Amino acid sequence: MQLFFILLISLIDVSSGLLQSTPTLKNRIVYDNARIPVDVAYSLTQQRSKSGSYEIMSLTSNKEVVPYICHLPADKEVNISKPIHSATSELKQRAIDIIQETFDNGNCSLAFNIQAGYWTVGYCFGDKVMQFHEDLIDFMSGNHKAQLPNHVYVLGKFPNVKPYKQTEIRNQRGGQRVKLDPRDFIVFDGEFGSFGDHEVDYSTNTQKFIKHTLGNGEICDLTLQPRTIDIVYKCDQVFGKPRIMEIQEIKTCQYQMIVNVPKLCQIEEFRKNLIHENIINITCKRIDEKENKSTETVSYDTFFDYHSPNNSESQIAKIKNEKIDLNQFHINPIGDGFYLGSLKEEYKTDLPYWNTRVIAMNSNQIDDKDLLNRFGKLFLNAMERKFPSPVMITDNIATTLQWNDSFIYWIEMFDIFGNYIALFKMARDGKVDNHEVEFHKINAVNEENLMGFNSDLSYFNHPNKNWNFEFFKRNQESSSI
């Protein structure tokens, strides 16, 4: 299961009120960064309504125990019948036929800068899966060319491929007819996330996937065994086009690649079938233990009058224990346990900052003192490969930061649960002939320091609309942003 900010858990304290119907209801905690005064929170626990009730809970955030007031909706009748799917030979063959129909065209599907933020990966149906280094200009032109011609690595080959002397960046199966053996495929239930595989919540997800394992890849220098890759084909109704979605090296020289096949959505079992009626949202808001509003009249609806802080004045100041919803971001690995995230289209608003910002995530269990050093080294190694610049090639493809760029670059970092960790500032003068970047790390501020923090960072409302950049100039250009 993906590690979302919205956590699927069972609440022991409220189980007696949620187990009256069958099947068992699932509780989903939705965190809200609104602040509710402590006396208002305690008054809310005394409110009773047919719509629900309130309880105070202590939840962990950034390794600290933080009090929240949570709204528990009243139980409701649930009438669902969970689909019963079986991986029959007929189902498997239908899926294989769709895969072959989609990709059996003699071409390769390529994804740029995807594997560890460094490789172009090519999926050549009936032939091979390969990876190589490539310039963005070559990728965009369609005239694919490896920077190092002798370093085009085969991660796995389709069965019965005739041998060839040299690996080329094209489909080399020639006129061979691709014949797929259903015994090489496995249909299964599951879910995939950027942070690894996790136990599946089968009560809310009944989607099926089909996996094809390819062997006979290049010999791995570390294991002295051929590389292997699991190609997992899935229906993603949002992703749209048939192409590579992500690839990870799950073990040394063993890979897992997720490929979207839109036509698989024609088969009910392969569509994502979330049983939303079986989930109850429990909204929790922070309790402000320093504020009292004893004169306020509290009713059942008072809880909903408190909203998350308005970020229009300060779009970057982050206070301790604030959270974001990682489910709203596209998440891509950049190496060493770090990830970059960009907001999904459906969550974008009229505020330019929220639409264009890139965030960082850290999945490592490392000391706070080592975080700057680890992230700084990764940033240097990923220059010209992974971190996007504000210079766009198309509406959704950006060039990467170059060593000859001058910039002041800010990025927020969160953990894999959406807890805010720190703010990083990276600055460079691209006219200097070296590979050095100035790094700063600003820890989460306390609420009492928030006002001073805001005034110091007022430029984050910069009119250039190219957050994360306070300043950027590409030395070939005559103007900066």
Side-chain angles (χ1 to χ4, degrees):
M1 184 188 298
Q2 289 178 305
L3 289 174
F4 293 158
F5 164 60
I6 297 178
L7 304 175
L8 291 174
I9 64 173
S10 294
L11 298 178
I12 298 175
D13 292 345
V14 300
S15 60
S16 61
L18 300 179
L19 298 178
Q20 299 174 2
S21 60
T22 303
T24 304
L25 297 176
K26 295 290 180 180
N27 307 320
R28 175 167 55 194
I29 292 186
V30 181
Y31 293 99
D32 189 320
N33 284 315
R35 302 294 191 268
I36 294 184
V38 60
D39 57 333
V40 174
Y42 280 103
S43 296
L44 283 170
T45 62
Q46 308 302 313
Q47 304 298 315
R48 292 293 181 269
S49 168
K50 293 181 180 179
S51 300
S53 59
Y54 299 96
E55 283 196 22
I56 292 176
M57 301 181 62
S58 295
L59 304 175
T60 301
S61 179
N62 264 339
K63 300 180 181 179
E64 294 184 12
V65 177
V66 179
Y68 283 79
I69 177 78
C70 299
H71 174 242
L72 311 180
D75 196 356
K76 57 182 178 181
E77 292 296 324
V78 178
N79 183 20
I80 62 171
S81 57
K82 178 181 175 181
I84 300 176
H85 296 151
S86 58
T88 63
S89 57
E90 180 184 358
L91 177 68
K92 181 190 291 187
Q93 189 60 55
R94 286 177 63 197
I96 293 172
D97 291 344
I98 287 175
I99 293 168
Q100 184 147 14
E101 175 190 345
T102 301
F103 295 105
D104 193 4
N105 54 19
N107 297 322
C108 298
S109 176
L110 292 105
F112 178 74
N113 217 18
I114 183 170
Q115 160 66 347
Y118 190 57
W119 300 93
T120 290
V121 175
Y123 164 62
C124 305
F125 179 83
D127 178 19
K128 61 182 176 288
V129 178
M130 59 184 166
Q131 67 178 17
F132 55 94
H133 303 310
E134 180 180 33
D135 286 331
L136 180 60
I137 294 175
D138 292 330
F139 178 81
M140 295 300 298
S141 70
N143 183 25
H144 300 284
K145 182 172 58 178
Q147 290 179 340
L148 302 171
N150 295 326
H151 291 78
V152 179
Y153 297 102
V154 175
L155 307 184
K157 288 185 178 180
F158 278 73
N160 304 317
V161 173
K162 292 181 180 179
Y164 35 78
K165 293 182 179 180
Q166 184 174 358
T167 301
E168 299 178 7
I169 304 175
R170 64 180 182 87
N171 197 316
Q172 294 178 263
R173 78 167 194 253
Q176 286 181 265
R177 181 176 178 272
V178 180
K179 187 175 181 180
L180 301 176
D181 188 342
R183 292 173 296 182
D184 294 336
F185 289 78
I186 297 174
V187 176
F188 65 99
D189 297 277
E191 187 57 280
F192 300 92
S194 298
F195 302 110
D197 298 335
H198 299 273
E199 184 181 354
V200 179
D201 188 346
Y202 291 101
S203 63
T204 60
N205 180 12
T206 60
Q207 184 177 18
K208 287 191 180 296
F209 305 86
I210 183 167
K211 180 177 71 173
H212 189 198
T213 301
L214 304 183
N216 298 319
E218 302 278 351
I219 298 298
C220 177
D221 294 336
L222 298 176
T223 65
L224 302 181
Q225 298 295 319
R227 290 174 166 86
T228 64
I229 185 168
D230 289 337
I231 305 175
V232 179
Y233 300 98
K234 68 176 291 187
C235 149
D236 191 298
Q237 293 160 297
V238 176
F239 203 71
K241 297 180 180 180
R243 55 181 174 176
I244 300 169
M245 297 181 68
E246 65 175 285
I247 183 171
Q248 299 180 60
E249 187 173 3
I250 53 177
K251 294 181 181 178
T252 302
C253 294
Q254 295 181 29
Y255 306 86
Q256 180 186 80
M257 182 171 71
I258 314 301
V259 176
N260 184 37
V261 187
K263 287 189 176 180
L264 278 179
C265 300
Q266 297 172 1
I267 305 176
E268 178 187 357
E269 290 86 345
F270 285 89
R271 290 197 296 269
K272 196 163 189 177
N273 184 9
L274 291 180
I275 308 172
H276 294 292
E277 297 88 347
N278 201 31
I279 299 176
I280 290 181
N281 282 340
I282 297 177
T283 302
C284 295
K285 300 182 180 183
R286 284 278 305 276
I287 295 177
D288 187 345
E289 297 181 288
K290 298 180 181 179
E291 184 176 359
N292 285 277
K293 289 191 176 180
S294 56
T295 60
E296 181 176 339
T297 301
V298 177
S299 68
Y300 177 83
D301 293 327
T302 300
F303 178 85
F304 304 100
D305 294 335
Y306 288 85
H307 305 285
S308 296
N310 188 343
N311 290 295
S312 61
E313 294 183 2
S314 174
Q315 299 176 330
I316 186 59
K318 290 293 180 180
I319 60 177
K320 208 169 185 181
N321 300 320
E322 204 162 86
K323 290 175 174 284
I324 62 167
D325 184 352
L326 292 182
N327 190 33
Q328 297 180 1
F329 290 82
H330 295 292
I331 298 172
N332 295 299
I334 55 175
D336 197 24
F338 293 97
Y339 300 79
L340 291 182
S342 58
L343 201 63
K344 293 179 180 177
E345 193 67 34
E346 59 265 34
Y347 296 105
K348 291 185 176 181
T349 68
D350 294 333
L351 290 175
Y353 157 74
W354 298 108
N355 292 348
T356 61
R357 73 166 177 169
V358 173
I359 63 171
M361 277 150 286
N362 170 36
S363 65
N364 301 293
Q365 295 293 329
I366 56 178
D367 189 273
D368 186 64
K369 296 179 181 178
D370 296 330
L371 185 58
L372 178 61
N373 184 47
R374 285 274 291 272
F375 187 61
K377 287 182 178 179
L378 175 72
F379 186 87
L380 294 176
N381 291 332
M383 278 287 287
E384 300 191 338
R385 295 192 292 108
K386 193 60 182 178
F387 284 85
S389 79
V391 179
M392 305 298 293
I393 296 177
T394 66
D395 289 341
N396 57 0
I397 298 180
T399 62
T400 55
L401 279 176
Q402 306 293 308
W403 285 112
N404 56 14
D405 293 338
S406 297
F407 55 80
I408 300 175
Y409 181 55
W410 297 81
I411 192 165
E412 302 155 286
M413 181 174 287
F414 301 83
D415 66 18
I416 60 175
F417 300 103
N419 295 308
Y420 177 73
I421 298 176
L423 174 67
F424 289 85
K425 174 186 176 183
M426 290 79 84
R428 171 168 172 77
D429 182 353
K431 293 180 290 186
V432 178
D433 186 17
N434 62 30
H435 283 188
E436 296 179 1
V437 177
E438 177 185 333
F439 286 87
H440 298 274
K441 173 173 167 282
I442 302 172
N443 292 324
V445 300
N446 296 320
E447 291 183 72
E448 54 267 27
N449 299 328
L450 189 58
M451 293 303 295
F453 195 71
N454 288 353
S455 60
D456 292 338
L457 300 183
S458 59
Y459 52 75
F460 279 107
N461 293 298
H462 205 282
N464 63 44
K465 301 181 181 179
N466 285 293
W467 209 91
N468 310 64
F469 292 90
E470 178 188 350
F471 171 82
F472 179 86
K473 183 177 181 179
R474 182 149 286 174
N475 65 6
Q476 298 99 323
E477 299 173 349
S478 58
S479 61
S480 60
I481 65 169

